[in-house]
Amino acid sequence: MAESNNKTKKFYNWILLGIIVGVVIFLNIIGTFIYSRIDMTEDERYSLSTGSIEFLDKMREDGAKNNKVNRLYLKIYLDGKLPAEIKRFRNAIEDKLAEFKEIAGDRIEYQFIDPLEGTEAEQNSLFQILYSKGQGIIPLEIVYQKDGSQTQMTLWPGAEIEYEGFTKNYIQLLPGSPQGQPAQLSKEFSETTIQNSINNLEYMLISALRRTIQKQKPRIAFLAGHGELRFAETQRVRSLLEPYYSVEDITLNDSLRALDGFTGAIIARPRTKYSDKDLYILDQFVMRGGRLMCFFDKLTFPQDSLNRTGMTSTVRTDLGLDKMLFDYGIKTNDNYVMDVRCAPIQTPFAKQSLLPWFFYVAATPTKHPIARNIEPVMLRYASQIQLIPGETRLVSPILTSSTNSRLTGMAPLISLAMPMNYGKVPILADNPTSERNKICIAGMSEGRFDSHFKNRLIDEFAKNKESGFITRSTAEGKVLVVANGSFIANYYDSMPSKTGKMMYRPISFNNLRYDEVMAQMRMQPLIYGNQEFFQNMVDYMMGDNSVLDIRSKQIDIHPIDKEKVKDQRTKYMLINVVVPSFFIILLAILLFYLRKRRYARS
């Protein structure tokens, strides 16, 4: 009888084991078809942004409406025998694409490819295609330790996007390396370059997909004819816009149709006054729902005089824009903002080579989507902006000074000796921690506006149907003003072309992201957000937020507290070693007791 019971128990145990194994296998099979995970991080770093979800949803819906699925096919050339750090990056890409595919469905397909497979001739042929004369994927040479010896490997850390049967785009997922200068696959490389690329994956992928399927680019006019920044000075920011927008130089020339067909218009540091006719063209552009972006200086002064004598006077500019912008709810004053949060200046008049120059304001971003989570924006000689609310318009500050800031008088005198008057710990405001001290230096107004020329035109023109005069907005418009004209200007080189004309290109040093004075002195340069701010600004003004909230997404990297680890090393070792061992021993005792009790009954 006992033997029969033992056989029954064994049979029951085998059946139970078979059921458990079957359930595990079934769940794994289901898991290969269904992708899902729960993001429990505070900053939601593993969740897609709203803009990404909306973009991918629209892709799926467009495919369903047209009954024709034009698939985006991504070939990621990052597979094979990879070092652990690169393998982690490769898996992060796959996780992100799996999330995309979960929303977009069969509009997105992807494949990981090992570019080092095949014969040497096949590899070289593929490399030429991927490199595409420097327009495709830039290779990355890495050096790392393997089995006690140094190993060098060439990676092609990018993806090729095929759409409608053709290669339409490339994505550089990790930065390439200069020829003959391989990157050391160190802990620092993993924690900075690789981690930053993982954090930026969503933006890189979504923006590349967006460029690939974009059918028609909205038009943006860079206005010329009033001494604005030259083409060479805006090449860097133009290159940021060109993948998404059609950027054109437009001279108004009193032509009423000059801005027809344009969604946005940029006025970058004008120097001469706008005529009433040109102002009328701009006003009617805004009345029709146009997006006007103005960057101008309320004061000017000769920089060489300041450098030569250490002191100079400022002069008011008369551009004619002020009154029109005031009617839209934005007033710019004839003063300068001084801020302790600033960049340095080199001066021969001080004992030390670098002095904090309060007029080089490192502007503080607000929580507005345009400025959220970007680095400080460098505005040299910025003026104060006052925002005037209205019933049909919303006004918002975009950039401000810090709490330790103040205003100069109107049209002030500037002296290089000024910083020395405030000591080593300068205090510019009475209460340097009060939020009330913040001064607006970039702001916007959006909604519906009354025309600046309402009740100012003679009836003969205003009532003429052919003039097309609009007294009040027919569509919601947007107007943004930055109280500094040159914050987007890049430094550039010139060279003669084959035809004898001069060619221009931005210099390799990006002054929109780094402080050149500190870089020249081989110090750790300050990092600026001018470039990202400009991108966000144009995206918001043009109404395309598909990548705006990705760039403004905050991912907090919490570094390990080395001092805490050092002080509490023993405690954490005990927790990691003793506590798991204790639970294992406790579980073993419990199982021994249960088995003894069970078999004692039988």
Side-chain angles (χ1 to χ4, degrees), residues 326 329-333 384-388 395 410 440-441:
F326 179 81
I330 303 176
K331 179 186 178 186
T332 311
N333 292 328
Q384 178 196 22
I385 283 178
Q386 290 180 288
L387 301 174
I388 306 157
V395 292
M410 297 297 177
C440 180
I441 44 185

Side-chain angles (χ1 to χ4, degrees), residues 12 17 33 125 127 283 299 466-467 540 590:
Y12 171 77
L17 178 62
F33 296 99
S125 177
F127 297 165
D283 174 77
L299 301 170
E466 293 184 3
S467 70
Y540 184 89
L590 181 61

Side-chain angles (χ1 to χ4, degrees), residues 229-242:
L229 291 175
R230 300 171 58 196
F231 174 83
E233 295 175 285
T234 58
Q235 277 184 292
R236 198 178 294 278
V237 293
R238 286 170 187 259
S239 67
L240 299 176
L241 301 183
E242 283 169 354

Side-chain angles (χ1 to χ4, degrees), residues 70-311:
N70 290 322
R71 290 182 177 84
L72 284 157
Y73 185 54
L74 285 82
K75 296 179 180 178
I76 305 96
Y77 293 92
L78 206 59
D79 209 6
K81 296 179 181 179
L82 302 172
E85 296 87 344
I86 304 298
K87 188 76 172 178
R88 178 171 70 94
F89 180 61
R90 181 248 181 239
N91 293 339
I93 298 170
E94 187 171 20
D95 288 343
K96 193 64 69 176
L97 289 173
E99 288 185 87
F100 287 6
K101 188 169 175 57
E102 190 70 19
I103 299 172
D106 56 5
R107 287 299 304 273
I108 293 179
E109 301 290 346
Y110 58 89
Q111 177 187 7
F112 284 85
I113 297 172
D114 181 2
L116 303 180
E117 281 186 344
T119 64
E120 185 175 349
E122 289 172 340
Q123 291 179 27
N124 290 333
S125 177
L126 177 61
F127 297 165
Q128 292 296 325
I129 294 171
L130 295 182
Y131 187 67
S132 187
K133 297 180 180 179
Q135 301 300 312
I137 302 171
I138 308 299
L140 170 64
E141 295 277 351
I142 58 169
V143 176
Y144 63 101
Q145 294 294 323
K146 182 180 180 182
D147 299 330
S149 61
Q150 194 174 72
T151 303
Q152 186 164 328
M153 184 179 190
T154 301
L155 300 174
W156 292 85
E160 181 184 23
I161 304 180
E162 291 184 0
Y163 185 61
E164 297 178 338
F166 299 95
T167 298
K168 291 291 186 75
N169 208 350
Y170 293 94
I171 315 174
Q172 188 77 34
L173 297 168
L174 282 175
S177 58
Q179 191 172 7
Q181 300 179 31
Q184 187 72 37
L185 193 58
S186 59
K187 182 180 179 182
E188 181 182 358
F189 184 88
S190 178
E191 292 179 350
T192 55
T193 303
I194 294 180
Q195 187 59 51
N196 288 339
S197 295
I198 290 175
N199 293 343
N200 290 327
L201 264 180
E202 184 179 346
Y203 170 66
M204 288 191 291
L205 293 170
I206 289 291
S207 60
L209 297 180
R210 175 187 169 206
R211 287 197 303 269
T212 302
I213 66 175
Q214 191 172 39
K215 299 292 184 183
Q216 187 175 2
K217 296 180 180 180
R219 297 172 69 195
I220 297 177
F222 260 87
L223 299 190
H226 295 86
E228 291 90 348
L229 291 175
R230 300 171 58 196
F231 174 83
E233 295 175 285
T234 58
Q235 277 184 292
R236 198 178 294 278
V237 293
R238 286 170 187 259
S239 67
L240 299 176
L241 301 183
E242 283 169 354
Y244 313 107
Y245 306 102
S246 176
V247 181
E248 303 173 40
D249 289 292
I250 296 294
T251 303
L252 298 179
N253 284 337
D254 298 339
S255 172
L256 295 179
R257 302 299 178 189
L259 294 177
D260 284 1
F262 287 92
T263 306
I266 294 175
I267 301 175
R269 203 214 61 189
R271 286 294 190 236
T272 59
K273 188 174 182 178
Y274 283 78
S275 67
D276 286 340
K277 288 184 178 179
D278 284 347
L279 290 176
Y280 176 81
I281 296 167
L282 293 173
D283 174 77
Q284 293 299 288
F285 172 72
V286 173
M287 293 305 106
R288 294 192 298 270
R291 315 302 163 87
L292 182 63
M293 293 159 268
C294 302
F295 326 133
F296 60 90
D297 302 317
K298 283 292 294 185
L299 301 170
T300 60
F301 64 88
Q303 183 69 47
D304 57 342
S305 294
L306 179 64
N307 295 336
R308 187 176 64 254
T309 65
M311 185 179 298

Side-chain angles (χ1 to χ4, degrees), residues 312-465:
T312 189
S313 298
T314 55
V315 179
R316 291 180 172 91
T317 60
D318 182 14
L319 300 173
L321 289 169
D322 306 58
K323 292 181 180 179
M324 183 179 75
L325 295 174
F326 179 81
D327 287 343
Y328 303 151
I330 303 176
K331 179 186 178 186
T332 311
N333 292 328
D334 300 327
N335 55 12
Y336 278 145
V337 176
M338 298 171 57
D339 196 342
V340 167
R341 193 184 187 195
C342 60
I345 191 174
Q346 285 181 298
T347 170
F349 297 95
K351 294 181 181 179
Q352 60 194 71
S353 58
L354 287 182
L355 284 177
W357 191 231
F358 302 143
F359 297 104
Y360 285 3
V361 178
T364 302
T366 63
K367 294 182 179 180
H368 192 280
I370 294 177
R372 188 172 59 232
N373 301 329
I374 64 173
E375 300 290 343
V377 178
M378 174 48 54
L379 300 180
R380 291 178 169 87
Y381 304 105
S383 298
Q384 178 196 22
I385 283 178
Q386 290 180 288
L387 301 174
I388 306 157
E391 292 183 2
T392 59
R393 63 176 181 248
L394 173 68
V395 292
S396 309
I398 308 298
L399 297 174
T400 69
S401 63
S402 73
T403 57
N404 193 359
S405 61
R406 55 163 288 191
L407 293 169
T408 67
M410 297 297 177
L413 182 74
I414 299 177
S415 170
L416 288 175
M418 185 179 295
M420 293 180 282
N421 297 331
Y422 288 89
K424 293 183 178 180
V425 185
I427 297 177
L428 301 183
D430 292 337
N431 184 0
T433 60
S434 174
E435 293 289 316
R436 294 182 178 180
N437 296 334
K438 289 186 174 182
I439 302 165
C440 180
I441 44 185
M444 72 174 301
S445 179
E446 50 191 325
R448 294 184 181 270
F449 309 101
D450 286 327
S451 170
H452 170 64
F453 289 90
K454 184 179 180 180
N455 301 324
R456 292 179 181 172
L457 295 177
I458 59 174
D459 288 345
E460 184 180 350
F461 179 84
K463 294 180 180 179
N464 186 342
K465 293 182 179 180

Side-chain angles (χ1 to χ4, degrees), residues 450-516:
D450 286 327
S451 170
H452 170 64
F453 289 90
K454 184 179 180 180
N455 301 324
R456 292 179 181 172
L457 295 177
I458 59 174
D459 288 345
E460 184 180 350
F461 179 84
K463 294 180 180 179
N464 186 342
K465 293 182 179 180
E466 293 184 3
S467 70
F469 177 56
I470 304 171
T471 59
R472 188 174 177 80
S473 294
T474 57
E476 290 192 354
K478 296 179 183 180
V479 178
L480 184 142
V481 176
V482 180
N484 172 256
S486 56
F487 81 99
I488 62 170
N490 57 258
Y491 302 147
Y492 61 93
D493 286 329
S494 60
M495 65 189 76
S497 67
K498 294 180 180 179
T499 59
K501 295 182 179 181
M502 296 301 295
M503 297 175 58
Y504 303 96
R505 65 180 180 185
I507 64 172
S508 57
F509 181 84
N510 188 351
N511 60 289
L512 302 185
R513 300 199 71 180
Y514 304 102
D515 184 82
E516 66 273 16

